[in-house]
Amino acid sequence: MDRDFTFFDSKGKFKILRILLKENEINISALLKRTNISYKFVERYLAELENEGLIRQKRFGKIRIISLEDNRVTRILKDFFTELEGIEEENYIKGYV
């Protein structure tokens, strides 16, 4: 399996993934508010993440829902981000942050 994932090369994609890993799904309006990234960039990042098989998008009329795919990569990422949050919390408590 020789795939290049690009979610670490962009703070925007990293933000989007982090939110989705926590929430599992979110509508586009809420995602725009939470990331504070322009619509143009969010669109580009979502297309790239979808092409990488990490997310899927569903439309219900005017409402668009973005959700995390359930696959081996997203499960590994979920574990990674859970561990990262634990480390960040420990560092905050210890006064490193």
Side-chain angles (χ1 to χ4, degrees), residues 4 21 35 44 50-52 54 60 63 68 89 96:
D4 290 328
L21 287 161
T35 60
R44 187 173 88 199
E50 193 168 29
N51 287 338
E52 292 173 357
L54 300 174
F60 302 97
I63 298 170
L68 202 59
E89 190 174 309
Y96 296 144

Side-chain angles (χ1 to χ4, degrees), residues 78-95:
K78 209 171 247 194
D79 290 344
F80 171 77
F81 279 106
T82 300
E83 189 67 27
L84 182 62
E85 284 179 358
I87 292 168
E88 287 173 343
E89 190 174 309
E90 285 175 22
N91 287 340
Y92 180 78
I93 292 169
K94 290 177 182 176

